Amino acid sequence: MVDYPAISEQLDDIESAREDGHRKIDWAREHMPILTALQAEFDAEKPFEGQRIGMAMHVEAKTAVLVETLAEAGADVAVTGCNPLSTHGDVSAALDEHPKITSYAKRGVDDEEYYEAIEAVIAHEPTVTVDDGMDLVAAIHEDYPELIDSIIGGCEETTTGVHRLRAMDDDGALEYPVFAVNDTPMKRLFDNVHGTGESSLANIAMTTNLSWAGKDVVVAGYGYCGKGVAKKAAGQNANVIVTEVEPRRALEAHMEGYDVMPMDEAAAVGDVFLTTTGNRDVITADHFERMNDGVLLANAGHFDIEINLDELAEMAVDEREAREGVREYELQDGRRLNVLAEGRLVNLASPIALGHPVEVMDQSFGVQAVCVRELVENGASDSSSEEGDQYEAGVHEVPDDLDREIAEIKLDAEGVAYDDLSDEQEEYMGSWQHGT
């Protein structure tokens, strides 16, 4: 493995960076009652004592609260970024000051440095992995399979990562259990819909200083993230056009009142294009040829492959930085197409990106924390063990009681009361013998 330095060894003004990072983390923690409650529980019981947790996440203030929560539970944590442009260096430096945390996350690294930092995390020989995009899991399986027997399990945060993990599982290549955190109601209904919708539109508006009102906004993909983007854009008086490849989702978007059409048609009318598919080549040269002058192109999926920037660069006769975070490509006929955040996650990789709202990530990271607890308590299956509640290798749904636990903590923190079923109602719902 490579000898890659922690962030504290890479920054010049480390003390100033740490001070700024701690201030950001403190602000986030004040608005994260779920992780605050879990940290109090974990700090008293130290349930992760002796565990080594390897993480590849978007390293910013909200993630830092999760990292510190795991460390306060007794774990030794090594963390790096899962996107070269989403790291906040000051937050990374603040994390690295913690005696049980080593942070390798640095903003703006190239591909080589990115994977060197992944390897540096793996060098800690994690017993639990926490991933956003599955790069950490993939690297362990491909390059360090000798570590797999000592890993009790992992957690995956995002849609793209879960897709990759399920494909890996279908091929019989996933050799330890991983919870699909992305697929829980507490993640999908809030993080994907409200988090992606609000943060993507907010960052585009801040980066460009342009309004949404009256614009034709093309949303590629109508999964949970696409629904959130479409809903929030419509709420700011944009005209929303949805492109889809799945007929039921296309019909759902149509029934919600949005225009639905193929990207070939949408390319000629859109002012703003926002991809949310997790797939590659959603917008390509054929579409660039049809686009109007001045369009904005942004990605809210995962990797920087949804907008084919290689084809756009080949078509361009000139490029320039039109505005910080906005790359302008001038075509032969004089049309200018503007790419935000280098085609990476616009809500995390633009120059002033802050990611999802704090309250939203508190819910998602709360699920991550209790899933780590579940793995530590009932981890990977051991052939020598007689216990029957352990997890086999593969992708696992998050147990519903864990997801409900996070909802209950949040409702309690918000002072929201809700009903319980009576004994008679419980009995009725569980019986097939009761008729009308």
Side-chain angles (χ1 to χ4, degrees):
M1 296 186 188
V2 298
D3 183 17
Y4 191 80
I7 188 64
S8 296
E9 300 173 45
Q10 301 185 53
L11 297 181
D12 294 329
D13 192 357
I14 186 64
E15 293 304 325
S16 176
R18 284 173 174 166
E19 182 178 345
D20 291 342
H22 283 303
R23 186 168 62 249
K24 290 181 180 179
I25 297 169
D26 290 344
W27 171 261
R29 187 183 292 105
E30 288 178 20
H31 301 276
M32 301 180 83
I34 297 170
L35 283 183
T36 298
L38 289 173
Q39 184 167 331
E41 172 193 326
F42 292 168
D43 186 48
E45 300 175 2
K46 303 295 183 187
F48 305 158
E49 196 74 58
Q51 301 296 331
R52 299 180 301 278
I53 300 177
M55 305 178 69
M57 306 283 284
H58 299 291
V59 179
E60 43 78 59
K62 301 176 290 292
T63 308
V65 179
L66 171 63
V67 177
E68 290 186 346
T69 298
L70 300 178
E72 292 301 321
D76 291 303
V77 183
V79 60
T80 189
C82 65
N83 183 301
L85 293 180
S86 65
T87 293
H88 289 208
D90 50 3
V91 171
S92 180
L95 281 175
D96 199 56
E97 189 178 21
H98 192 290
K100 296 186 74 66
I101 299 171
T102 306
S103 179
Y104 299 98
K106 182 181 178 183
R107 185 180 177 88
V109 295
D110 58 24
D111 284 351
E112 182 179 356
E113 290 177 297
Y114 175 82
Y115 287 107
E116 284 180 348
I118 292 278
E119 291 195 4
V121 169
I122 296 172
H124 289 254
E125 300 186 0
T127 57
V128 176
T129 60
V130 180
D131 234 337
D132 188 313
M134 207 205 84
D135 280 350
L136 189 59
V137 173
I140 289 171
H141 280 73
E142 291 172 2
D143 301 321
Y144 303 99
E146 67 276 8
L147 298 180
I148 290 174
D149 286 345
S150 62
I151 297 175
I152 60 176
C155 305
E156 171 55 51
E157 170 76 10
T158 197
T159 307
T160 295
V162 170
H163 284 169
R164 296 177 73 195
L165 283 166
R166 292 196 187 282
M168 191 177 181
D169 196 12
D170 289 343
D171 288 343
L174 181 57
E175 297 188 34
Y176 63 81
V178 181
F179 281 125
V181 171
N182 176 78
D183 292 357
T184 69
M186 285 299 288
K187 169 68 165 61
R188 279 183 164 173
L189 297 178
F190 304 99
D191 184 311
N192 294 7
V193 175
H194 297 284
T196 301
E198 292 182 18
S199 64
S200 298
L201 297 186
N203 275 286
I204 292 172
M206 288 188 292
T207 299
T208 64
N209 197 30
L210 298 176
S211 172
W212 291 104
K215 285 189 171 58
D216 291 310
V217 177
V218 178
V219 181
Y222 200 67
Y224 285 95
C225 293
K227 290 175 187 176
V229 170
K231 178 179 181 179
K232 304 297 182 179
Q236 296 191 59
N237 300 320
N239 306 310
V240 177
I241 299 164
V242 171
T243 71
E244 247 301 341
V245 297
E246 211 289 323
R248 291 160 296 186
R249 288 180 176 175
L251 180 59
E252 182 182 10
H254 170 70
M255 295 294 284
E256 289 292 332
Y258 304 123
D259 291 328
V260 179
M261 62 185 72
M263 183 61 78
D264 283 350
E265 296 179 22
V269 297
D271 298 309
V272 182
F273 295 79
L274 196 54
T275 60
T276 68
T277 72
N279 208 340
R280 66 174 303 122
D281 299 329
V282 178
I283 300 178
T284 63
D286 289 343
H287 306 126
F288 301 141
E289 290 282 7
R290 295 175 169 84
M291 289 181 178
N292 294 316
D293 180 38
V295 301
L296 304 179
L297 300 166
N299 170 36
H302 191 79
F303 296 116
D304 57 339
I305 57 173
E306 304 210 16
I307 303 167
N308 195 318
L309 296 181
D310 290 337
E311 291 183 349
L312 182 56
E314 289 177 7
M315 295 172 63
V317 296
D318 192 22
E319 297 179 29
R320 72 183 184 100
E321 202 72 10
R323 184 178 173 89
E324 188 177 13
V326 181
R327 187 74 176 169
E328 179 187 274
Y329 293 79
E330 184 178 344
L331 306 186
Q332 184 70 44
D333 58 8
R335 287 179 299 124
R336 296 155 298 177
L337 311 186
N338 300 289
V339 176
L340 277 66
E342 301 179 14
R344 299 187 184 276
L345 278 172
V346 71
N347 59 332
L348 282 159
S350 62
I352 52 177
L354 297 174
H356 289 1
V358 177
E359 299 93 336
V360 168
M361 292 313 302
D362 187 32
Q363 297 177 181
S364 296
F365 288 158
V367 178
Q368 289 274 25
V370 294
C371 283
V372 172
R373 183 187 66 196
E374 176 68 10
L375 287 169
V376 171
E377 292 177 352
N378 304 293
S381 179
D382 182 343
S383 59
S384 65
S385 173
E386 297 181 359
E387 295 183 26
D389 58 351
Q390 296 178 318
Y391 295 93
E392 300 287 345
V395 178
H396 293 265
E397 300 297 333
V398 175
D400 192 60
D401 61 316
L402 300 186
D403 206 49
R404 291 175 61 89
E405 176 185 349
I406 299 307
E408 289 166 358
I409 294 173
K410 178 67 172 181
L411 288 170
D412 183 62
E414 296 285 327
V416 177
Y418 58 100
D419 284 325
D420 293 315
L421 293 175
S422 67
D423 292 341
E424 291 79 10
Q425 288 173 320
E426 288 273 15
E427 194 270 335
Y428 179 84
M429 294 300 290
S431 172
W432 59 269
Q433 295 174 313
H434 293 292
T436 56

